[in-house]
Amino acid sequence: MKHISIEGSSKTVSQLIMGGDHFSESKYDLVSSLLDTFLANGGNTVDTAHQYGEDGASEKAIGRWMKERGNREQVVILTKGAHHDETGRRVNPQAITHDITESLKRLQTDYLDMWALHRDDPNVPVEVVIDVLNEHMNAGRIRAIGASNWSYERIQAANEYARSQGMKGFTFSSTNLSLAKMIVPRWEGCVAADEATCAWHAKTGLPLLSWSSLGGGFMAGRFSPEQRDNEEMVRTYYSEANWQRLERTKELAAQKGIPFVQLALAYVLHQPFPTCALVAAYSAQELHNNLAATDTTLSPEEVRWLEYGEQ
């Protein structure tokens, strides 16, 4: 499996990142089996968040697995925090420090390879965020910082401030990037990589770690134009352009003799800037299908054809 470099992290990051949002200790046998297989096949990066699962179930399961295997130095942990909750927006120094502290305890580690703001609050100055995150990096609790669901303009502003103060800025972004393009945001504050965002990543070289790389299952073929019981999917992804992208993906996959889901994931990994795909697996077969995407090669012309069709 290919890996990319994230500035600040002492370890390279596997292009396929294991999504751990559904992990819990109640499913620990499955979780540990999936993680063992992932690691054995060249994957090393696991995505989680302070808010995933009741009382941090996802982080606790990952922490237990690392402790039992004694493999902390072989694993890259990406966790997130400062997500909004019933009390309101939480992009502030107190919430950031609280979530980092709890994540360290749950994961049974004294450092986090990568930590990202899970949401943004445009009303909070970037200076406030950069200042507190640099305090945690200077203390050794975090090695690299990033932002999930932040616009590239906000990330750029944060990094310009960091540079002006001789501080460390964001070295990765985690937004949605998929062949299935959102018509409207899936939820308030959701950020998907549009053409301007991708152009900015190509210009700066900042890595993009894509969540929901299969468009909520759209590019996995879980939906059809006649199936309209999932209101969120209909509202977000049901467009003629997306159905055509799905058909082109199936066509090219058939020519290559591979599953079309594998090709849809490969699209994310063949951008003109560093990318990783965050993908959850609920079974050994799903994991093997995901892993196979890292061996799939696409030319720039094929990538463009999948997205836009004949030009």
Side-chain angles (χ1 to χ4, degrees):
M1 187 185 300
K2 294 181 180 178
H3 289 65
I4 68 169
S5 296
I6 300 287
E7 186 179 342
S9 174
S10 60
K11 311 164 193 172
T12 57
V13 175
S14 55
Q15 272 202 297
L16 195 67
I17 297 177
M18 173 72 82
D21 61 330
H22 64 292
F23 287 178
S24 69
E25 290 190 279
S26 65
K27 299 186 293 184
Y28 183 69
D29 287 348
L30 173 61
V31 170
S32 58
S33 175
L34 290 173
L35 288 171
D36 286 343
T37 301
F38 182 62
L39 207 64
N41 283 274
N44 72 337
T45 307
V46 183
D47 169 72
T48 184
H50 181 268
Q51 72 149 149
Y52 287 166
E54 186 176 355
D55 194 29
S58 174
E59 291 182 326
K60 288 179 179 179
I62 296 166
R64 176 181 170 184
W65 172 74
M66 290 192 299
K67 186 174 182 63
E68 288 184 358
R69 301 297 190 269
N71 62 8
R72 177 66 186 94
E73 293 309 307
Q74 285 73 55
V75 178
V76 175
I77 294 296
L78 163 60
T79 193
K80 305 176 290 292
H83 195 286
H84 309 326
D85 63 15
E86 65 278 359
T87 68
R89 297 178 181 271
R90 299 179 64 251
V91 181
N92 59 69
Q94 295 77 23
I96 290 170
T97 297
H98 173 274
D99 290 2
I100 288 172
T101 302
E102 280 204 340
S103 291
L104 287 166
K105 291 178 181 177
R106 293 168 176 174
L107 289 159
Q108 302 187 57
T109 184
D110 58 2
Y111 73 94
L112 303 169
D113 300 278
M114 298 189 288
W115 192 88
L117 277 299
H118 209 162
R119 290 289 185 272
D120 190 16
D121 181 353
N123 294 316
V124 177
V126 293
E127 294 85 349
V128 172
V129 174
I130 291 297
D131 286 351
V132 68
L133 289 178
N134 271 262
E135 290 177 12
H136 288 290
M137 284 191 285
N138 292 337
R141 301 182 192 101
I142 305 172
R143 296 190 174 174
I145 58 172
S148 180
N149 291 292
W150 277 45
S151 69
Y152 74 87
E153 294 95 339
R154 282 273 286 176
I155 294 174
Q156 180 170 297
N159 285 354
E160 288 174 354
Y161 167 71
R163 282 192 295 270
S164 73
Q165 300 299 310
M167 302 170 79
K168 298 175 182 176
F170 294 133
T171 54
F172 65 93
S173 173
S174 184
T175 60
N176 173 251
L177 174 62
S178 170
L179 255 176
K181 309 302 179 184
M182 292 187 194
I183 307 166
V184 295
R186 285 178 69 177
W187 57 78
E188 183 182 359
C190 166
V191 177
D194 57 14
E195 288 190 11
T197 300
C198 290
W200 181 80
H201 278 277
K203 178 181 178 180
T204 63
L206 192 84
L208 190 156
L209 317 184
S210 171
W211 56 263
S212 198
S213 300
L214 293 175
F218 187 95
M219 295 306 301
R222 295 177 184 170
F223 305 93
S224 66
E226 300 76 26
Q227 181 183 346
R228 306 186 70 85
D229 56 326
N230 189 316
E231 183 180 339
E232 179 182 291
M233 292 300 298
V234 171
R235 175 175 52 84
T236 306
Y237 291 111
Y238 278 38
S239 71
E240 183 58 31
N242 279 336
W243 294 122
Q244 290 177 5
R245 291 184 184 105
L246 180 59
E247 287 306 309
R248 288 195 293 271
T249 302
K250 291 179 178 179
E251 180 182 336
L252 184 57
Q255 294 174 18
K256 292 178 177 289
I258 61 175
F260 67 88
V261 175
Q262 184 176 320
L263 194 66
L265 275 181
Y267 161 84
V268 176
L269 303 179
H270 285 78
Q271 298 298 312
F273 48 86
T275 58
C276 295
L278 280 65
V279 187
Y282 296 84
S283 68
Q285 186 58 56
E286 285 189 355
L287 176 56
H288 283 295
N289 289 342
N290 294 343
L291 289 166
T294 64
D295 295 324
T296 302
T297 300
L298 289 173
S299 69
E301 292 76 21
E302 288 173 326
V303 170
R304 184 167 183 81
W305 182 77
L306 287 172
E307 188 164 358
Y308 299 106
E310 298 295 344
Q311 296 295 308

